[in-house]
Amino acid sequence: MAIFLRRALSFRNVLLLRSSAIVGRELFQCNSEAPQRILSHSALEFVKESRRGFAKGRNKSKDDSAASTIEVLPNMGPTIKANTTSQMEAAITALSAELSKLRTGRASPGMLDHIIVETGGVKLPLSQIAVVSVLDSKTLSINPFDPNALQKLETAIVESALGLNPKVDGDRLIAAIPPLTKEHVQAVCKVVTKSCEDGRLSIRRARQKAMDTIKKLYSRYPKDDLKRLEKEVEELTKKFVKTAEDLCKAKEKEISAG
């Protein structure tokens, strides 16, 4: 009987062991899905710090990009002053040319430059077809490059507003400068005044162009630099206006002296 009981118990244990193994295997198969990863506190902190560092790096790269695109503005001062000076010098040159056309009591080669001579069907300034020289303070000599143009030269000089009556002397013309009358002096002085005012207007137009250009730069350049540039343009204007006035005063003095 005892032996029978021992065998029964042994058989029962074997069955229990087999059952537990089968159940364990089934449970393992049911839970074969991948286990979820659970991060520890230290791992979470690492992820947070990494994200912060990435964000800072991205912001820094944006700042560096913005800094690298800062526009470097050229210095416009020298260009503006050079252009303004060139325009004002041109105004003085034009004024000098106008004043040289006016007849005074003294002989001057430039007083004939504005006379236009028609020769060979072409109209040219007298200075391009003849050489004018001063024989003395009251006499001019006109020597044409082509002797055949002598008659045309004489006609053009007589018909000009200078009041000259040149005479033929071989292959050249001799023009005596007659003394100026009081009325002629007054008329010529009025022309000088008008020419002087025209010169001042040309100089002031150049100044205004410079000031307009400077005003357009106020939104981009330092105000102190632009104020300094405006002051320099004003000084240029005063300088050239004085030059124009000095030229006209000298011309009036020459005319009045006869």
Side-chain angles (χ1 to χ4, degrees):
M1 185 68 180
I3 295 172
F4 178 78
L5 289 173
R6 281 198 301 271
R7 289 178 177 176
L9 289 174
S10 298
F11 181 74
R12 180 173 175 273
N13 288 337
V14 170
L15 292 175
L16 288 173
L17 288 172
R18 292 180 63 184
S19 299
S20 63
I22 293 170
V23 171
R25 186 164 58 247
E26 291 177 350
L27 287 174
F28 177 78
Q29 292 175 352
C30 292
N31 296 321
S32 61
E33 297 178 358
Q36 296 181 353
R37 296 181 179 178
I38 301 176
L39 298 177
S40 63
H41 178 72
S42 59
L44 288 173
E45 290 298 324
F46 176 76
V47 172
K48 290 180 181 179
E49 291 298 327
S50 298
R51 289 181 177 178
R52 288 174 185 170
F54 174 74
K56 289 181 180 179
R58 183 170 57 186
N59 292 336
K60 184 177 180 181
S61 64
K62 289 181 179 179
D63 294 340
D64 292 342
S65 177
S68 64
T69 57
I70 293 176
E71 183 182 2
V72 179
L73 299 176
N75 185 1
M76 297 297 293
T79 301
I80 292 174
K81 288 192 293 183
N83 290 339
T84 304
T85 301
S86 177
Q87 293 171 14
M88 292 182 178
E89 287 176 346
I92 294 298
T93 300
L95 175 61
S96 299
E98 288 298 319
L99 295 178
S100 68
K101 298 175 184 178
L102 302 177
R103 183 168 78 85
T104 65
R106 299 178 62 84
S108 170
M111 63 190 300
L112 303 181
D113 287 349
H114 67 287
I115 296 177
I116 302 299
V117 182
E118 183 175 357
T119 176
V122 180
K123 294 182 178 181
L124 296 171
L126 185 144
S127 59
Q128 293 187 14
I129 63 175
V131 175
V132 180
S133 57
V134 176
L135 295 180
D136 55 53
S137 61
K138 299 292 183 178
T139 311
L140 289 175
S141 172
I142 304 97
N143 298 270
F145 300 127
D146 180 6
N148 295 326
L150 196 64
Q151 188 62 43
K152 296 289 185 179
L153 277 171
E154 181 183 5
T155 301
I157 294 172
V158 171
E159 292 178 350
S160 71
L162 295 175
L164 302 179
N165 291 293
K167 305 296 181 183
V168 177
D169 181 25
D171 292 336
R172 67 177 182 174
L173 294 174
I174 300 297
I177 309 300
L180 296 176
T181 63
K182 184 178 180 180
E183 291 76 13
H184 190 82
V185 169
Q186 292 175 350
V188 175
C189 285
K190 287 181 180 180
V191 175
V192 172
T193 301
K194 178 64 168 55
S195 298
C196 187
E197 184 58 29
D198 290 342
R200 281 194 292 258
L201 288 175
S202 296
I203 293 169
R204 286 168 184 158
R205 278 195 296 269
R207 170 198 170 276
Q208 189 60 48
K209 287 181 181 179
M211 291 300 185
D212 291 341
T213 302
I214 294 172
K215 286 180 181 178
K216 294 178 181 178
L217 302 178
Y218 263 90
S219 60
R220 302 172 61 196
Y221 286 79
K223 291 184 178 180
D224 291 342
D225 293 345
L226 296 178
K227 289 290 184 184
R228 190 181 307 112
L229 183 56
E230 288 178 342
K231 184 177 180 181
E232 292 174 355
V233 171
E234 290 290 357
E235 291 174 353
L236 278 175
T237 304
K238 292 178 181 178
K239 172 186 172 182
F240 280 97
V241 166
K242 185 177 185 303
T243 300
E245 292 174 346
D246 289 345
L247 284 174
C248 293
K249 288 178 181 178
K251 192 64 177 182
E252 289 180 348
K253 184 177 180 181
E254 182 183 353
I255 293 169
S256 299

